[in-house]
Amino acid sequence: MQMKLLKFISFFFSILLISCVSDERKDNLVYVFENEFFILKKECVSKINLTKSEVEEKLTMWITLKKNKFCSDRFNLLINSNVGGYMQLFFNEKILLDSTYIATEFDTSKSYAFSIKSTLIGFEILKAYNK
């Protein structure tokens, strides 16, 4: 019961936080942490692609960020300071990842990946970042 309430409060806070930055979130991936968020702007993306595993029929979005203080350095700091916590990921107000556990530190300038459930959303993300 307490965990469900905590998840609900976290989700509500995430939506509230995202709604405060309405124009910036359009066509951008928005990562929400416990008390902070990161809007991945097109200018920060060095490389982005969508792959499909032939064996599992699984879609994966691969992203490499530009190495600078506004892009990979800031995102790395947020991820690394939230190891052991949870993160959510949104695109155009659609939740892509809900309460994803951050298990370890990593460097976003060397590429990272996440699963995509819908080919349509995957192509929408690609289109937004490849304009």
Side-chain angles (χ1 to χ4, degrees):
M1 174 73 174
Q2 197 174 27
M3 185 61 159
K4 284 186 178 183
L5 181 61
L6 184 61
K7 275 190 167 189
F8 175 76
I9 291 170
S10 174
F11 181 74
F12 180 75
F13 177 72
S14 300
I15 296 297
L16 183 63
L17 193 62
I18 289 174
S19 65
C20 293
V21 288
S22 60
D23 287 343
E24 288 187 37
R25 69 180 183 199
K26 176 101 172 89
D27 289 336
N28 286 310
L29 291 166
V30 180
Y31 296 83
V32 179
F33 301 89
E34 187 175 326
N35 297 316
E36 301 173 271
F37 64 94
F38 178 79
I39 298 173
L40 181 58
K41 297 189 178 184
K42 180 181 176 181
E43 300 80 36
C44 283
V45 176
S46 171
K47 186 174 161 185
I48 186 168
N49 62 14
L50 186 64
T51 61
K52 184 175 183 179
S53 166
E54 292 180 26
V55 177
E56 299 175 17
E57 294 289 316
K58 196 172 163 185
L59 293 169
T60 305
M61 182 68 61
W62 289 90
I63 301 175
T64 304
L65 299 189
K66 293 178 181 173
K67 179 96 174 115
N68 66 48
K69 68 180 180 177
F70 302 108
C71 298
S72 66
D73 292 352
R74 182 168 185 281
F75 193 37
N76 291 344
L77 180 64
L78 284 171
I79 289 171
N80 298 341
S81 65
N82 282 283
V83 169
Y86 293 88
M87 172 190 77
Q88 294 174 309
L89 175 59
F90 295 85
F91 181 74
N92 287 340
E93 299 183 23
K94 296 174 194 146
I95 191 157
L96 302 181
L97 299 174
D98 186 21
S99 298
T100 298
Y101 182 73
I102 304 171
T104 186
E105 295 182 358
F106 59 90
D107 184 354
T108 58
S109 69
K110 295 181 180 177
S111 192
Y112 67 98
F114 56 90
S115 293
I116 295 284
K117 294 178 184 173
S118 159
T119 304
L120 180 62
I121 291 175
F123 285 129
E124 285 178 17
I125 295 169
L126 287 177
K127 181 180 174 185
Y129 284 95
N130 287 318
K131 286 183 189 175

